[in-house]
């Protein structure tokens, strides 16, 4: 029993040191996390549930495909910046096929044609270039991030086709952005319920899951071992 207690004590100390290193702003992050949870509970989630109730699945799938198709252009750009021209060519191929045969991207025919979807953003590109995550942060409304990914997120927003389009007025940009957020949240309704049921400390679970996922994405599913 004494040995178990000592091992448990060491493990707790190591865990505390790790958390202090990756999440030095935990008190602030938890406050923003609570704000985001309330905003989701009272505004975003009800809107997503109503959206899912009103629109049939094939329409929601089409909306998801449309925004995903636009995103493939930026995925291709990040693949080029990461030195992966073959993946970039795949992404451009997806965009061309889905924008034409797929009717502006509402139908994902490229996947059926063997052009698989990639997920890249500028935060991952910075990681590939060697920039470490930095401290974990929680962004108001946008949720889990890191110092590196926040910088990448700013670049992603600045290059967002919809937000920077000269063909859309401000009301159209806001409406399109709201549609994208509500559609995205509707796609996560079941997953969020599973998280509510499974996670003892939702904040810690999301933090650790986010950091592990981002590390996995930066290294394309094959991250090196972390040395002590």
């Amino acid at each position: 029993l004494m040995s178990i207690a000592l091992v448990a004590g060491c493990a707790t100390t190591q865990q505390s040191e790790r958390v202090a290193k990756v999440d030095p702003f935990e008190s602030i992050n938890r406050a923003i996390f609570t704000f985001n949870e309330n905003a989701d509970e009272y505004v975003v989630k009800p809107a997503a549930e109503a959206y899912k109730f009103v629109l049939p699945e094939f329409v929601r799938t089409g909306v998801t495909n449309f925004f995903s198709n636009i995103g493939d252009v930026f995925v291709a750009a990040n693949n080029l910046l990461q030195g992966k021209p073959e993946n970039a060519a795949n992404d451009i191929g997806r965009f061309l096929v889905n924008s034409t045969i797929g009717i502006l991207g509402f139908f994902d025919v490229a996947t059926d044609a063997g052009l698989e979807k990639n997920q890249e953003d500028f935060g991952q590109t910075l990681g590939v270039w060697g920039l470490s995550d930095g401290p974990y942060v929680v962004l108001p409304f946008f949720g889990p991030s890191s110092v590196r990914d926040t910088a990448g997120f700013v670049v992603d927003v600045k290059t967002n086709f919809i937000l920077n389009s000269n063909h859309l007025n401000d009301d159209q940009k806001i409406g399109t952005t709201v549609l994208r957020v509500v559609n995205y949240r509707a796609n996560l309704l079941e997953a969020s319920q599973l998280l509510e049921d499974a996670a003892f400390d939702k904040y810690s679970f999301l933090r650790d899951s986010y950091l592990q996922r981002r590390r996995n994405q930066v290294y394309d599913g094959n991250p090196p071992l972390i040395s002590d």
Side-chain angles (χ1 to χ4, degrees), residues 91-103:
D91 302 326
I92 294 299
R94 282 183 56 84
F95 177 76
L96 294 175
V97 170
N98 284 339
S99 297
T100 53
I101 302 175
I103 311 176

Side-chain angles (χ1 to χ4, degrees), residues 60-80:
R60 290 183 278 112
T61 300
V63 173
T64 299
N65 290 340
F66 172 78
F67 287 117
S68 177
N69 185 56
I70 295 175
D72 278 338
V73 176
F74 303 99
V75 172
N78 279 291
N79 267 320
L80 281 177

